[in-house]
Amino acid sequence: MSPTDPPLPGEPIVITRDALRDGSLLARVRANPLPGMVVRTDAEIEASLDTTLATRDPAQDVWLFAYGSLMWNPAIHTVGSHPALLRGWHRRFCFWVRMGRGTPERPGLMLGLVRGGACQGIALRIAAADARNELLLVWRREMFASAYLARWVNLATADGSVRAITFVADPKHDGYVANLSDEAVASYLATASGALGTSREYLQQTVAHLHDLHLHDSRLERLERMIEQQSPDAA
């Protein structure tokens, strides 16, 4: 879910394809928004998607660059995937999460793409005929608020360069946080928990999935080690 997770009462929440398709996840978001949070209407979400897709060739498959939870829980149908490298952007824990994977008293942090460096992740291929329907599920998940900006980028893969959609951090968003030390980031990730799970699990899943693909993010790996050293007996 996006970095501006709203209160989700009740039992633990799992982001699933069905919950995105039937609108139940968004309904819970709209029923319990954070103070001051603006949630886009269905029409606004679809308009944002259509604006992004306006420059694509409708006969061509669409690529989506995943660098966080979309890697290990995409919740969409794809026709292929490849490890990919995005140059000019890097992943960083740069958004406060006060619900979902944290609380107002003990906020967590979520990943976004920020300028500089490079980022390894996964290029997900979506069939041309299904592209809008599948991406609408992604938009309901990532673009219901204003934390991310959708952007076309060029990815390097073993099969050559591909043009893909990804989500970069909007530094103007009120949940954006810059220049936290690794020690501070590790402390927040180690203690934050909410209906979607813990921020620590989010980090662990991301690192583990990168390792499964024989990819690495040295900063995320360092954060994971720091948390283990802080609480070696924690689950």
Side-chain angles (χ1 to χ4, degrees):
M1 183 158 284
S2 98
T4 51
D5 292 338
L8 296 175
E11 73 281 357
I13 305 300
V14 178
I15 298 175
T16 66
R17 178 180 178 83
D18 287 344
L20 294 169
R21 287 185 66 190
D22 65 20
S24 59
L25 195 59
L26 261 180
R28 297 189 73 158
V29 169
R30 290 171 175 146
N32 300 278
L34 288 170
M37 180 182 181
V38 177
V39 181
R40 289 173 172 161
T41 66
D42 289 342
E44 288 170 335
I45 291 171
E46 294 201 34
S48 170
L49 172 58
D50 289 337
T51 297
T52 301
L53 293 180
T55 60
R56 71 172 279 251
D57 178 351
Q60 297 295 316
D61 294 348
V62 176
W63 293 89
L64 176 69
F65 182 61
Y67 58 89
S69 63
L70 284 173
M71 291 195 302
W72 40 271
N73 180 25
I76 60 171
H77 291 158
T78 63
V79 293
S81 65
H82 299 284
L85 175 68
L86 172 61
R87 294 186 174 92
W89 299 85
H90 67 280
R91 65 166 70 78
R92 182 191 297 170
F93 281 100
C94 61
F95 284 111
W96 292 117
V97 177
R98 296 181 174 89
M99 288 291 174
R101 291 186 184 273
T103 66
E105 297 77 21
R106 229 172 235 193
L109 290 162
M110 294 288 280
L111 291 168
L113 288 176
V114 299
R115 289 282 189 182
C119 179
Q120 292 182 308
I122 302 174
L124 302 172
R125 188 170 189 167
I126 306 169
D130 301 326
R132 190 182 184 281
N133 288 338
E134 295 303 313
L135 286 170
L136 180 56
L137 305 186
V138 180
W139 247 250
R140 288 174 177 172
R141 168 182 178 159
E142 306 293 344
M143 296 289 286
F144 66 82
S146 56
Y148 291 124
L149 301 172
R151 182 181 294 269
W152 287 97
V153 295
N154 292 316
L155 304 176
T157 76
D159 295 330
S161 178
V162 298
R163 185 170 179 252
I165 296 169
T166 196
F167 303 104
V168 305
D170 183 354
K172 296 179 181 178
H173 190 268
D174 60 8
Y176 181 81
V177 57
N179 302 320
L180 280 178
S181 69
D182 285 352
E183 290 76 13
V185 171
S187 178
Y188 285 112
L189 295 178
T191 58
S193 178
L196 287 172
T198 69
S199 287
R200 179 178 182 174
E201 290 166 349
Y202 177 80
L203 168 64
Q204 291 171 328
Q205 288 270 30
T206 303
V207 171
H209 204 83
L210 287 170
H211 286 178
D212 288 344
L213 297 166
H214 306 290
L215 302 177
H216 297 276
D217 184 308
S218 59
R219 189 172 192 183
L220 296 193
E221 292 168 357
R222 183 166 63 252
L223 289 169
E224 191 172 43
R225 290 194 299 271
M226 291 172 68
I227 293 172
E228 290 172 353
Q229 290 166 4
Q230 291 176 10
S231 52
D233 296 328

